[in-house]
């Protein structure tokens, strides 16, 4: 079973607050990802990292930022939360697959509600 | 136009039925085709993947890819209430960036 953890699982917060969503994995994977998932919509990649000190923006524009100081840790930060940031945020990691495909393992997600 | 189209459902079937879930796509460069299962309040988990065209079977699950029609399917035989979840198709051409469908919500009733 994949060991990838996200905290908090649920967060209700007021507009303007700074928040950090935590993601940790114990599989030693180099690659990590953040996705945003809204009801009835596809997962959209918002950030990814290929290793320590590597971060890139994904296909969906996001006001969030990420950091990768340790291999196992990939936190996502919103400096000033707004209601438009209300969504589910999913973290994933991947490593070498047997047939080149790098299976992405997902965490349980953080449901964020900004009031 | 979205790169991957998937009927959101919901699809409601009786226990024991054969379920067919489908996605269409527009990018002929896609090489890997995946099916993820997502239970409520959980993250997606990889069910199975197929490289290029053909079929792949794993227990009650069969994945099919028809690249000529740009169409992929997941069949679930002898469906169980525990199969009730959202099924997401995903595909990629570079093994790294996945493009997901919206997911089809499946409910199997006893």
């Amino acid at each position: 079973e994949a060991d990838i953890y996200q905290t908090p699982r649920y967060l209700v917060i007021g507009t303007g607050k700074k928040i950090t969503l935590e993601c940790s994995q114990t599989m030693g994977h180099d690659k990590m990802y953040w996705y945003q998932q809204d009801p009835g919509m596809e997962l959209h990649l918002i950030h990814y990292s290929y290793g320590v000190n590597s971060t890139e923006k994904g296909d969906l524009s996001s006001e969030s930022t990420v950091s990768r100081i340790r291999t196992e840790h990939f936190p996502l930060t919103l400096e000033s939360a707004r209601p438009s940031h209300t969504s589910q945020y999913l973290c994933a990691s991947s490593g070498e697959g047997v047939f080149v495909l790098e299976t992405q393992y997902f965490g349980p997600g953080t449901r964020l509600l900004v009031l | 136009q979205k790169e991957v189209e998937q009927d959101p459902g919901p699809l409601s079937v009786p226990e024991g039925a054969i379920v067919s879930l489908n996605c269409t796509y527009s990018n002929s460069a896609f090489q890997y085709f995946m099916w993820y299962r997502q239970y409520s309040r959980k993250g997606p988990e990889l069910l199975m993947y197929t490289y290029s065209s053909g079929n792949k079977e794993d227990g009650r699950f069969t994945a099919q890819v028809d690249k000529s029609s740009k169409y992929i399917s997941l069949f679930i035989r002898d469906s169980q209430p525990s199969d009730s979840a959202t099924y997401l198709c995903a595909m990629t051409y570079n093994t790294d960036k996945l493009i997901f469908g919206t997911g089809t919500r499946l409910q199997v009733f006893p």
Side-chain angles (χ1 to χ4, degrees), chain B residues 37-99:
Chain B
R37 178 175 60 196
Q38 185 175 21
Y39 290 114
S40 181
R41 310 284 191 229
K42 302 278 188 180
E45 57 176 332
L46 181 67
L47 264 180
M48 51 199 309
Y49 75 89
T50 309
Y51 173 70
S52 194
S53 281
N55 294 359
K56 187 172 185 178
E57 190 173 317
D58 184 2
R60 296 185 295 111
F61 298 88
T62 299
Q64 284 186 354
V65 174
D66 183 348
K67 292 195 77 178
S68 62
S69 301
K70 296 190 181 71
Y71 188 87
I72 70 170
S73 301
L74 177 71
F75 297 96
I76 307 174
R77 289 183 299 280
D78 187 25
S79 56
Q80 303 294 310
S82 58
D83 294 328
S84 298
T86 296
Y87 290 80
L88 303 142
C89 65
M91 43 201 83
T92 182
Y93 44 84
N94 68 357
T95 77
D96 186 30
K97 306 283 182 58
L98 302 184
I99 310 298

Side-chain angles (χ1 to χ4, degrees), chain A:
Chain A
E1 189 173 328
D3 293 328
I4 180 164
Y5 308 98
Q6 290 186 245
T7 57
R9 293 292 313 279
Y10 305 94
L11 180 61
V12 181
I13 202 161
T15 296
K17 300 291 186 183
K18 178 180 178 178
I19 58 171
T20 296
L21 307 184
E22 302 287 349
C23 176
S24 295
Q25 51 96 4
T26 59
M27 296 172 282
H29 288 163
D30 284 327
K31 296 184 180 181
M32 296 189 73
Y33 314 83
W34 276 104
Y35 291 88
Q36 191 170 331
Q37 184 181 35
D38 294 311
M41 302 292 289
E42 57 269 40
L43 274 73
H44 285 292
L45 181 68
I46 52 175
H47 297 283
Y48 61 99
S49 167
Y50 286 157
V52 171
N53 295 325
S54 153
T55 60
E56 302 286 345
K57 288 190 181 292
D59 302 323
L60 183 68
S61 175
S62 174
E63 293 165 348
S64 58
T65 59
V66 292
S67 62
R68 190 89 182 274
I69 299 172
R70 302 197 317 263
T71 297
E72 63 272 21
H73 195 215
F74 191 39
L76 180 145
T77 299
L78 277 165
E79 290 292 332
S80 179
R82 293 208 299 269
S84 60
H85 296 140
T86 294
S87 188
Q88 171 158 264
Y89 293 85
L90 289 161
C91 180
S93 70
S94 69
E96 281 288 324
V98 176
F99 297 106
V100 183
L101 178 69
E102 297 178 353
T103 303
Q104 290 192 19
Y105 295 94
F106 284 83
T110 293
R111 286 182 178 268
L112 173 65
L113 173 60
V114 183
L115 302 175

